[in-house]
Amino acid sequence: MSTRTHAFLLVLITAGVFCPLLVAGFIWDDQVLVLENLWTHDPANLPRFFRASLWESTPIANTTTPYYRPMMLVELLVDRQLFGFSTLAHHAHSLAWHLVCTLLVWKLIRTLGGQGIAATASAAVFALHPFQTEVVAFIAARNDAMALAGVLGALLLLKDEAPSPWRLTQAGICALYALLSKETALMLPLLLAMCDLVVHGRLINVRRYLAIGLAMGVFGLLRLQAPLDSSALNLGEVLQSAPAIMASYASRLLWPIGTSPTTPLNAIQLSLPSLGIALFLAGLALRAQRKMALCGLGIFVVGLTPALAGVVLYGGLPYRYTYLPMLGIAIGYCALWNKHTNHPASLLLPLILGGITTSQLVDWSTNLSFWERGYQVAPGVETACGLFKAHESELHHTELESPQRKKRFDRAEALLQEAIQNPPSQYCCYSASRWYWKLGLPQSAVTSGLEALNNGCEPSPELLAPLAMSEALIGQWDAAESHAKEAGRDPTGLAPVVLSAAALRRGDESVLLYWEQKGSNEAQINLRDQVDFVLNSPPPIQPNSSVSPTDESESP
């Protein structure tokens, strides 16, 4: 069988395994980053992508995150301009990146000495492992595949001892693209060094490293323009957690059954038998071909190192963090079969992994099924929050006055209250008052918002502004004005409404004129009409929740 046939079958089988995801929906952070993105509707916003953190493009007010991913925003811009919000197109785009990475992994393994069935089987281990599903199914995780494609492209372009200036330039462009997709590409010089040691037995031609260094310099200058914040990262906590995180990933990669990427870190149990088997297989690979096995082990460790900070910040073990480390697993698997390059038994593991992946795709089909699975595996405030958000989205598409709507409302309300218990899920703190306000339940919005603050929710604008509006609607004007002032930068546009209305009640129109002149109403609502509505509305009667959750467009 020719090498082209091997490559064709590898891509075909990978596409066949993941093609059911083409009809999947948007999940997890896709709702905010893709559907509610404030910038990707207009190509004129392109320059802003390179001067801001990733989440500054979303309605979430806390924009000073450490994530600088401008090429991810470019990808979302392209998708939206060409396909709108077509789930089919978005998922096909993500799958295409995974197929590109699969083919490049196969080529790199062959460059490192892999041959025949063993090389193809090893690339299939990378392609079909259940952990890879997150990068394919989760649009917001596509940048992991984008970054790895850039890294692999640079490594392959620099495989020769004396690449031409044109290839050096191409490698630098690939490296810069990878860096602008995700910061894990900063590991590229170490990855190149490990490949050098396997192929050439030594580090060669410093010009190759200078090409990468130049790309890293450009990346650094661009990143300095963005208001990023890494203050939440505790280096001591990262170092303390590193051994357990590494061991947990190693064991779960070997036994990826019954897991969920939403499982909180404190609920993850290390599988010692799986870890033992993983170490045993690593030993066999080292014995079979030491250099290639060491290269695979090194890439796994180096690739997972940047993920340690992400795991600590996130508080769980997302699958997407293993996308680059899986390259090391694939290389190590090839080393294991080095003496039996064309033995069909090497295909057994990728076939098993492909079967497991296929059986678990249903969990990724909708946001609701995804979070139902997460809540089932590890019930807690974070998974309750995720499941609440899924039910919240479904509630908007449920017919008014229907029994199904009442049932879904009750389920969503119970999950939200679970999510804001002390200590709360900060992500659901954003919804503590806003959700009830959107449904036209101001009294519930006040009760829930105050409880959330008492339980440790951060006083974010998303919580305070709807709380203030709801307090105004039920006549608690002193509390409303106080919370509106505390809200600060308000993406909901409600705080200026409350402040203007409170001032007008005292006969002071200057506040309303100030906000109208400032034009800072980010929600693009008619400020004067909303102020009139709040001032002239009779005190609302709290509707019975079994009948009343209304469409959000009916809320003030």
Side-chain angles (χ1 to χ4, degrees), residues 135-284:
V135 173
V136 183
F138 184 26
I139 306 303
R142 183 193 298 165
N143 59 324
D144 285 271
M146 294 159 52
L148 182 58
V151 166
L152 292 169
L155 291 175
L156 289 167
L157 287 164
L158 298 174
K159 65 180 180 179
D160 296 331
E161 186 166 357
S164 66
W166 174 233
R167 290 180 75 87
L168 289 172
T169 302
Q170 289 177 300
I173 292 172
C174 285
L176 182 59
Y177 183 87
L179 289 163
L180 294 174
S181 298
K182 191 168 184 178
E183 300 87 341
T184 51
L186 289 169
M187 299 293 106
L188 181 53
L190 291 176
L191 302 180
L192 179 59
M194 283 182 277
C195 291
D196 275 354
L197 293 174
V198 172
V199 178
H200 304 285
R202 58 187 175 85
L203 301 182
I204 60 168
N205 196 340
V206 70
R207 288 193 309 155
R208 295 152 67 248
Y209 291 88
L210 289 176
I212 297 174
L214 181 61
M216 294 174 70
V218 173
F219 166 74
L221 291 175
L222 290 171
R223 198 176 192 274
L224 286 174
Q225 302 180 81
L228 305 173
D229 181 18
S230 301
S231 59
L233 183 61
N234 187 321
L235 183 59
E237 186 180 358
V238 172
L239 295 175
Q240 183 179 0
S241 305
I245 293 172
M246 290 278 192
S248 297
Y249 268 127
S251 63
R252 283 173 167 262
L253 283 166
L254 189 66
W255 189 255
I257 299 175
T259 61
S260 170
T262 62
T263 304
L265 196 58
N266 57 11
I268 291 171
Q269 297 179 351
L270 179 63
S271 173
L272 292 178
S274 297
L275 180 59
I277 295 173
L279 293 174
F280 174 72
L281 292 174
L284 290 180

Side-chain angles (χ1 to χ4, degrees), residues 261-347:
T262 62
T263 304
L265 196 58
N266 57 11
I268 291 171
Q269 297 179 351
L270 179 63
S271 173
L272 292 178
S274 297
L275 180 59
I277 295 173
L279 293 174
F280 174 72
L281 292 174
L284 290 180
L286 287 167
R287 185 175 181 180
Q289 186 170 2
R290 188 176 184 83
K291 281 188 177 181
M292 182 178 285
L294 282 174
C295 179
L297 181 60
I299 289 176
F300 176 78
V301 173
V302 167
L304 204 53
T305 298
L308 300 177
V311 168
V312 171
L313 283 173
Y314 169 66
L317 294 179
Y319 298 167
R320 61 187 179 275
Y321 291 169
T322 64
Y323 200 74
L324 171 56
M326 193 69 71
L327 170 63
I329 299 293
I331 293 172
Y333 188 73
C334 189
L336 185 63
W337 289 97
N338 182 60
K339 294 182 180 178
H340 310 282
T341 301
N342 288 305
H343 201 298
S346 63
L347 294 170

Side-chain angles (χ1 to χ4, degrees), residues 490-494 496-497 515 518-527:
D490 175 24
T492 70
L494 299 178
V497 174
W515 285 111
K518 187 175 182 180
S520 62
N521 190 342
E522 298 179 43
Q524 299 300 311
I525 60 178
N526 187 306
L527 182 60

Side-chain angles (χ1 to χ4, degrees), residues 383-426:
T383 50
C385 177
L387 189 52
F388 157 74
K389 298 298 291 184
H391 278 287
E392 177 191 27
S393 179
E394 292 295 321
L395 191 64
H396 292 312
H397 305 293
T398 306
E399 185 180 351
L400 293 173
E401 309 297 338
S402 68
Q404 180 64 27
R405 185 177 177 87
K406 156 64 175 169
K407 181 179 179 181
R408 195 173 296 284
F409 173 84
D410 288 345
R411 176 66 168 148
E413 183 175 39
L415 288 164
L416 175 60
Q417 294 309 310
E418 180 181 349
I420 62 173
Q421 293 305 302
N422 193 5
S425 164
Q426 292 297 333

